[in-house]
Amino acid sequence: MASLVASLFIFSLLRLGDALSVDYYAETCPQAEAAVMEAVKRATANDNTVPAALLRMHFHDCFVRGCDASVLLNSKGNNTAEKDGPPNISLHAFYVIDNAKKAVEKLCPGVVSCADILALAARDAVALSGGPKWEVPKGRKDGRVSKASESTQLPAPTLDFSQLKQIFSQRGLSTKDLVALTGGHTLGFAHCSSFQNRIHNFDATHDVDPSMNSDFAARLRKVCPAHNKVKNAGSAMDSTTTVFDNAYYKLLIQGKGLFSSDEALLTHPKTKQLASKFAASQEEFFEAFVKSMIRMGSIQGGQEVRKDCRVVNQ
């Protein structure tokens, strides 16, 4: 019964996605997309970690309560918000969304939701990094609830395939979506804590995960010793950390994926086949990534259009 209720809940979220349209603001705010792109472009010119941050922010938003910009809300009073939950502590570049919102509000006050601005900014982040560009369906609403405790619903880097599959399927996303969206790891940086489990005390018989390339593991162990005290120590997610490409999959199939959740893609025949396909063809990866981003971006749960992305309307 519980699984049926969960399925119906997710289905109701997906149904809300039916209202989305690429032309949603064509009459009410035709310049919105250009304003968001300008804000992302300006921020990226000053800080090349911004695209990875925006893409991750959108993922983290959509996986908790749908794509409702709940990840942008500040903690207030006794409520600790999503952004202050453990998996979200390292999120950054919220100011880019604030700047985009201010620019859009000048053009058309009270029209464009923060959830849509975040979805557009994630698309622009990918495009500006050399990845695909696509039409983003719009019409999301902003949520009024944000709880740090719910951030535990996010897929952790230590999960295995069956755990990942369950989290994705609960949100109406397929195994192919799982593999394609994980390709977002082509951008960005990971702290030691997120892959420490693979390079120290892996299990009773191995100090290092035996599925990891030994030279790669040795390099990681130098950067991240067992009792690492360097707060910002870690590793780039792939060899072209600011370029959106298929290098992530090429490294993954060589045993050079960082997370347990990356390696998990090689433990199931279907996901392993897809990872190999995306490693061989960047075009196939881009096509699948766009479809999966649109599907993920259609999970909704908001009710309003916030005036300020960090605070619910009074």
Side-chain angles (χ1 to χ4, degrees):
M1 182 65 185
S3 63
L4 175 62
V5 171
S7 298
L8 289 172
F9 173 66
I10 294 297
F11 180 69
S12 70
L13 288 180
L14 290 170
R15 289 295 300 170
L16 286 170
D18 292 353
L20 299 185
S21 162
V22 295
D23 300 319
Y24 193 82
Y25 299 115
E27 303 286 327
T28 55
C29 198
Q31 299 304 311
E33 294 204 32
V36 174
M37 171 61 101
E38 185 55 35
V40 175
K41 200 181 277 185
R42 195 177 300 129
T44 301
N46 292 324
D47 178 359
N48 66 7
T49 71
V50 162
L54 294 175
L55 182 57
R56 184 165 175 247
M57 196 186 294
H58 181 48
F59 282 157
H60 283 218
D61 183 39
C62 292
F63 269 76
V64 181
R65 293 186 170 266
C67 313
D68 66 344
S70 54
V71 76
L72 303 178
L73 288 170
N74 287 340
S75 296
K76 185 181 178 185
N78 293 327
N79 181 60
T80 307
E82 266 173 60
K83 64 161 62 164
D84 294 320
N88 288 330
I89 293 294
S90 58
L91 289 181
H92 68 103
F94 291 101
Y95 72 91
V96 183
I97 304 302
D98 294 336
N99 291 346
K101 178 67 170 172
K102 280 175 196 160
V104 170
E105 285 295 300
K106 279 182 186 170
L107 294 169
C108 30
V111 173
V112 182
S113 68
C114 298
D116 275 344
I117 288 172
L118 180 50
L120 289 167
R123 184 272 312 272
D124 295 340
V126 170
L128 287 170
S129 303
K133 187 166 169 74
W134 65 95
E135 289 286 344
V136 174
K138 297 165 287 288
R140 297 165 190 78
K141 294 293 187 281
D142 299 324
R144 295 180 58 83
V145 177
S146 183
K147 297 177 183 291
S149 58
E150 293 181 351
S151 66
T152 57
Q153 297 170 19
L154 291 163
T158 51
L159 297 189
D160 62 25
F161 170 71
S162 61
Q163 293 167 318
L164 289 167
K165 186 182 178 187
Q166 182 180 11
I167 288 174
F168 275 69
S169 65
Q170 283 170 346
R171 287 154 182 78
L173 299 171
S174 68
T175 301
K176 187 171 184 178
D177 294 324
L178 162 60
V179 182
L181 291 172
T182 304
H185 287 173
T186 182
L187 294 178
F189 177 88
H191 291 98
C192 295
S193 57
S194 51
F195 55 86
Q196 197 88 355
N197 66 304
R198 298 190 71 203
I199 58 171
H200 299 289
N201 303 314
F202 178 67
D203 62 23
T205 51
H206 303 94
D207 196 25
V208 174
D209 183 344
S211 65
M212 186 179 267
N213 175 283
S214 56
D215 291 340
F216 180 60
R219 284 204 304 276
L220 293 177
R221 281 164 64 90
K222 278 184 184 169
V223 177
C224 303
H227 302 290
N228 174 52
K229 296 285 191 290
V230 183
K231 187 182 175 188
N232 292 320
S235 172
M237 298 292 284
D238 75 6
S239 54
T240 54
T241 183
T242 60
V243 179
F244 194 94
D245 56 18
N246 66 338
Y248 162 80
Y249 297 104
K250 291 178 179 178
L251 292 169
L252 178 63
I253 61 176
Q254 294 169 27
K256 297 177 183 177
L258 274 182
F259 302 155
S260 295
S261 58
D262 293 322
E263 177 60 29
L265 301 184
L266 303 182
T267 62
H268 185 272
K270 185 176 180 183
T271 51
K272 186 175 184 178
Q273 179 193 8
L274 285 166
S276 298
K277 184 201 266 189
F278 296 157
S281 170
Q282 185 163 280
E283 194 178 335
E284 293 255 20
F285 164 48
F286 282 8
E287 189 181 321
F289 183 80
V290 167
K291 286 178 181 171
S292 295
M293 284 291 283
I294 291 171
R295 201 172 289 122
M296 179 187 76
S298 298
I299 309 169
Q300 296 176 81
Q303 308 83 19
E304 66 182 20
V305 173
R306 265 180 238 147
K307 297 184 185 78
D308 178 339
C309 290
R310 295 180 184 239
V311 184
V312 297
N313 293 344
Q314 299 304 311

